[in-house]
Amino acid sequence: MTAVIEAEGLSKFYGRRRGLENLTLTVAAGEVFGYLGPNGAGKTTTIRLLLDVIRPTRGRIRILGKDPRDHRVRARIGYLPGELSLEGTERAREYLEFLAQVRGSGRSQIPVLAERLEADLSVSMGKLSKGNKQKVGLIQAFMHNPDLLVLDEPTSGLDPLVQQEFLAMVREARNAGRTVLMSSHVLAEVEHVSDRVGVVRGGRLVAVEGVAALREKAIRRVEFHFDAPVPPEAFEGLPGVRDLRVEGTAVRCTIDGRPDALIKAAARFTVVHMVSEEPDLEEIFLAYYSEEEDHAYAGA
Ligand SMILES: Nc1ncnc2c1ncn2[C@@H]1O[C@H](COP(=O)(O)OP(=O)(O)OP(=O)(O)O)[C@@H](O)[C@H]1O
Ligand SMILES: [Mg+2]
């Protein structure tokens, strides 16, 4: 495994106020890591430390195998800051073109990304709406095809369709072998693109889990409707099936883990309709970890 982000015992105190304490985390090359936590948890602090915007009180950081102060690292990172300040009378397009010139790459991507995100680049920076500001921030983070994308609340201010397009951009980046760390308040925003998620609270990383593993742990409600009544025995004792109710042509239950056995049992009859609720991973994630917080897994 090639590590793209390595943090070891990373702490940041603002005077006596804890920003982050003892973070140890490794993000592998090609991985999308969702960094979750409520307001004031330490997400922005972590991201700023990783990018050398602020310096740690303690701990060690390696980014792309190098010290984050190394200027060669900077060129390979795309960064979307949490509170983006874009001011002035310069038009958004001119600002982005200027950045491309300074970086020596990315100019051709500006119109492509602007179209995908439906960004209006003809407006002067100071007059951009919140959503358009965020889009300009995303364009400058993605346009030079960086090896590592670090995005602080990238979906904030974006409408649902644009959020979907952004998530598609993250998937494409991952498919191209790039690494992404993105923060969010809610798992639902990042679960469909993240390989792993970590939860930070009160400056401490309290949980790290693979999204696929989380989904396997999920309990979900399932309903099958058949063209004729089915015998209850056909569904009894199936692994992972709970709260089974067979009522005439309908079978209702919850499944814990894989639905495979249930699907195979149902497939012996004629299914006319089926309902499977998307599990609420956030609920499971938080319920699962709130009990374990004291001896939480804080590695990677
Ligand atoms: N410059 C600063 N000076 C003093 N305290 C700070 C500073 N920046 C952050 N903090 C404190 O550090 C803690 C973590 O803040 P941080 O901004 O990292 O949280 P966050 O997870 O990004 O929150 P949000 O979801 O609101 O963006 C908070 O208690 C915050 O008040
Ligand atoms: Mg923040």
Side-chain angles (χ1 to χ4, degrees), residues 14 17-19 37-46 48 153 185:
Y14 300 99
R17 188 184 263 276
R18 180 170 65 207
N39 289 129
K43 303 181 297 296
T44 298
T45 298
T46 305
R48 288 185 176 151
E153 294 189 37
H185 292 109

Side-chain angles (χ1 to χ4, degrees), residues 77-179:
I77 299 176
Y79 171 40
L80 175 76
E83 53 313 291
L84 196 58
S85 85
L86 299 173
E87 299 301 334
T89 53
E90 193 183 16
R91 285 175 208 275
R93 179 175 293 104
E94 287 154 13
Y95 163 73
L96 290 168
E97 284 173 354
F98 168 73
L99 277 183
Q101 200 182 333
V102 172
R103 291 175 182 166
S105 73
R107 196 172 198 276
S108 64
Q109 283 298 302
I110 297 170
V112 178
L113 292 169
E115 195 180 328
R116 288 189 74 172
L117 296 172
E118 295 172 29
D120 184 356
L121 302 185
S122 65
V123 180
S124 67
M125 302 277 272
K127 290 184 184 151
L128 286 170
S129 68
K130 182 172 167 10
N132 266 313
K133 248 184 207 170
Q134 189 75 351
K135 292 172 188 180
V136 171
L138 286 170
I139 294 171
Q140 63 79 30
F142 277 81
M143 70 192 205
H144 53 306
N145 287 329
D147 293 326
L148 170 63
L149 283 148
V150 179
L151 311 170
D152 198 353
E153 294 189 37
T155 55
S156 119
L158 301 182
D159 69 49
L161 282 178
V162 178
Q163 277 195 27
Q164 291 308 316
E165 193 58 37
F166 159 73
L167 293 174
M169 282 160 54
V170 171
R171 270 188 213 104
E172 286 163 28
R174 197 236 330 252
N175 293 343
R178 305 184 210 290
T179 308

